[in-house]
Amino acid sequence: MFCLQMENSGASPLKDIPVGLDAFSEEEYYSQSTLLKEFTEIPTIEKAWTLKSNTGGSQVMFSISQPNLLENKKRRYVSYSHIAKERDDSVQFHWAAFPIEMWTASLMVPSPSGSKLLIVRNAESDSPTRFEIWSSSQVEKEFHVPSSIHGSVYSDGWFEGISWNSDETLIAYVAEEPVSAKPAFTCVGDKKGNCPDKDCNNWKGQGDWEEGWGEAYAGKRLPKLFVININSGEVRAVDGIEKSVSVGQVIWSPSAKDSLQYLVFVGWRSGTRKFGIKYCTNRPCSLYAVRAPSFRSEPEQSGTDANLSAVLLTESISSTFFPRFSPDGKFLVFLASRSAVDSGAHNATDSLHRIDWSIDAEPRPHNKIVDVVPVVMCAEDGSFPGLYCSNILSNPWISNGRTMVLSSAWGSTLVILTVDVLSGDVSRISPSTSEFSWDVLTLDGDNIIAVCSSPVDVPEIKYGCLVTNASDYTRWNWLDISSPITKCSEKVRSLLSSKEFCIMPVPVRDFSENLTKGACKPYEAIFASSKSKKHDACDPLIVVLHGGPHCVSLSSFSKSSAFLCSLGFSLLLVSYRGSLGFGEEALQSLPGRVGTQDVNDVLAAVDHVIDMGLADPSKIAAVGISHGGFLTTHLIGQAPDKFAAAAARNPVCNLGLMVGTTDIPDWCYFEAFGSEAKSTFTAAPSAEHLALFYDKSPISHVSKVKAPTLMLLGAQDLRVPITDGLQYARALKENGAEVKVMMFPDDIHELDRPRTDFESFLNIGVWFEKYCS
């Protein structure tokens, strides 16, 4: 590992060159590190909120992150802009002179009126969690909540939930349950009584082990529901929720004045064991309603109202998440990944549903669930392929009260959709001719603030104005907004301006028996390259493979991919069959066929660009993470003469080894056995199962590998533990193949800590430059 040091913003971050490099690689390290730093510094817009401005009109607040290599953390800050609508229908954003850094803020959530801002600061270890309530000019209140009440507030994007009530006096949120008591011992045995630790010669035991939610949740206690009164600072745990239920995504239900207040939340029940939940929407979950704690001095009402048990709202469906109430409070809308739960796929096509709600009555079970947008099995060419949403805005509604705005994958692009939740009509409102990806950030009344980008274009802010005579709420005019947020250096801008991209359909080459209609349709690949060709020569090609496998390579901006393209490589990002965005039949065609169908799809895409004269068959490399690493290591074993180099990031190399150590052993069974997995799964695989896992794995082809291979591994990975990659690397070395291993001791599966990400892609760039140029 090398040392990072930045003397100033223009200096190369590379101070010491790794030992053992030849002169070529040493020069590449220096030049590439300088360029990579410029890409690394490009900010990322994470969220946005629209607030009412004191001077009229609207103000938008952007939450932005930027890697800080010196601290090895993300630097977070906010930037404000006033939105001015001119008489000629143009829109101007007037930006604040400087952004404001939110260095220790874990979460920030404006109140519904925009007059208050909650900032949560989670502390290290078990120190108190800080809650700050800000007005437009100062901190109004600050409260410290000790770990005896709860631990850190969840900010993970999945269990995470923070919700203000309508009068902005109470905030519901999800936090780690308090620290459980540990056994204490003295030199003579068990400690009894309540003697303080500092007064006794004692030590703490570990107590019983409790299983967590796997990857990214190591060391975190289970998520529980709390409410804080922002006038008094009093915090109360929400009663009536079974201990076996992990809670998340809480929202307040609308209620009549002076009536009881209820909270709606997503609950995940613990079965005989917990499987990893990160990137896994196939974990069964339901919507519940529970009475919010009362902070009034009078006693609780008696009779039936005294029953505080949470009410199960969605008994008849196996998956519910991201609940949102309509503006009038008459119905509750939510997403579901029922296809994932029912089939076993870690991710699948979503559906949208609603139930009726009464603000005057208590929540009731056995609600009729209305299908608003069903799962699309096989879309006709160019038609809506189904919902694939990673989130929904906290307020996704336009003024008619029945139309939601959301982002969803549509093939290899991210698009903005409107959904009429009463009729079920779905409309694509981002430009249908654009191959860029569009993502909604927030709404400004009936207008939309979005971000738009491509593999070779940094993100830009767009403002969508509803066409005034569009009574069906399906047409917006999109305006370019000048923004200082995502500016990049002139060098980066110049390099990217010389690049172009396209999305190409790839015909299915090898039809197998019993394929559905959706599985026979073309899949897609994104091809990024230089605009100008060097005589008849092609740039070296990097095949970029997404993980999952049920994810997708989108046509949005990626700093790491853009960096590799700027080095002079063409990129081919393949969304093989099994990816999101192409209908459920195509997705479900892959389980049981991993290592063959997905490998053949990637090889067909590579041959497709070779046949088009876009790639030199002697200069091809592959890179991927997780299942993308599974494909990378499969490709160099099954097609050893096709690839000049490879880089695998936390790759799945041996399913038989992974199944006993991963947080998602059911994934191994589902992808290897397909529809038989649910009846076949066991925590103690048989010899026959292990033999099938071996046959499906890259390790079975390791003896044929010729390509120099770079392995990048996170030592804290619970999803694909490092033993998987290490075994493969040792087998390569044993067979005489060239292999280099980089181990990041504090990283988990994503390998996304700032220094790790930087060092990983610097080494990938140098590796590919050495063996492919």
Side-chain angles (χ1 to χ4, degrees), residues 68-84:
N68 183 336
L69 293 172
L70 287 177
E71 295 288 338
N72 203 18
K73 295 178 180 178
K74 284 186 178 180
R75 174 181 282 117
R76 286 189 166 86
Y77 51 94
V78 295
S79 186
Y80 291 88
S81 180
H82 177 74
I83 303 174

Side-chain angles (χ1 to χ4, degrees), residues 116-123 127-134 139-146 149-150 153 164 168-171 173 227-235:
K116 301 182 181 74
L117 176 66
L118 167 69
I119 295 180
V120 177
R121 302 184 193 274
N122 287 326
S127 299
T129 301
R130 292 164 52 192
F131 289 75
E132 300 168 5
I133 307 298
W134 290 69
V139 178
E140 298 283 350
K141 299 283 180 64
E142 180 174 345
F143 308 107
H144 292 202
V145 181
I149 296 177
H150 65 65
V153 175
W164 293 76
E168 302 185 356
T169 59
L170 304 176
I171 300 172
Y173 59 95
V227 176
I228 186 171
N229 183 317
I230 69 167
N231 293 319
S232 66
E234 183 181 1
V235 175

Side-chain angles (χ1 to χ4, degrees), residues 564-613:
L564 293 175
C565 192
S566 294
L567 293 177
F569 294 98
S570 296
L571 305 181
L572 186 68
L573 296 82
V574 185
S575 291
Y576 43 87
R577 284 174 296 164
S579 301
L580 302 179
F582 297 88
E584 187 65 8
E585 286 185 355
L587 186 146
Q588 293 290 349
S589 71
L590 181 56
R593 298 186 177 99
V594 293
T596 52
Q597 178 178 296
D598 45 2
V599 171
N600 290 335
D601 282 355
V602 175
L603 290 174
V606 172
D607 288 340
H608 188 65
V609 294
I610 291 173
D611 292 343
M612 294 174 67

Side-chain angles (χ1 to χ4, degrees), residues 665-684:
D666 58 325
W667 176 91
C668 299
Y669 269 87
F670 180 70
E671 298 302 341
F673 286 85
S675 60
E676 299 176 8
K678 286 204 167 185
S679 60
T680 308
F681 175 74
T682 172

Side-chain angles (χ1 to χ4, degrees), residues 309-377:
S309 295
V311 177
L312 175 59
L313 301 173
T314 55
E315 185 177 16
S316 62
I317 190 169
S318 57
S319 171
T320 58
F321 48 93
F322 299 142
R324 300 291 184 265
F325 281 100
S326 61
D328 60 9
K330 291 184 178 179
F331 46 85
L332 174 62
V333 179
F334 57 91
L335 279 172
S337 193
R338 183 168 47 183
S339 293
V341 175
D342 295 348
S343 70
H346 74 91
N347 209 349
T349 311
D350 296 328
S351 51
L352 188 70
H353 308 268
R354 75 169 195 269
I355 59 176
D356 292 332
W357 195 267
S358 172
I359 62 174
D360 299 314
E362 291 187 358
R364 64 181 190 275
H366 312 299
N367 294 280
K368 178 184 177 182
I369 298 176
V370 178
D371 296 340
V372 177
V373 181
V375 170
V376 174
M377 298 303 295

Side-chain angles (χ1 to χ4, degrees), residues 11 72 101 127 247 253 320 327 410 431 437 453 473 504 555 666 682:
N72 203 18
E101 187 168 10
S127 299
V247 305
S253 71
T320 58
W410 186 310
S437 278
S453 69
Y473 294 93
M504 56 179 63
S555 63
D666 58 325
T682 172

Side-chain angles (χ1 to χ4, degrees), residues 636-641 700-707 735:
I636 59 177
Q638 293 193 42
D641 296 319
S700 65
H701 301 281
V702 70
S703 63
K704 297 177 285 185
V705 173
K706 299 177 182 178
N735 292 328

Side-chain angles (χ1 to χ4, degrees), residues 254-270:
S255 59
K257 187 176 181 181
D258 297 326
S259 66
L260 294 172
Q261 291 189 303
Y262 285 86
L263 298 165
V264 170
F265 64 91
V266 180
W268 290 264
R269 285 184 175 274
S270 303

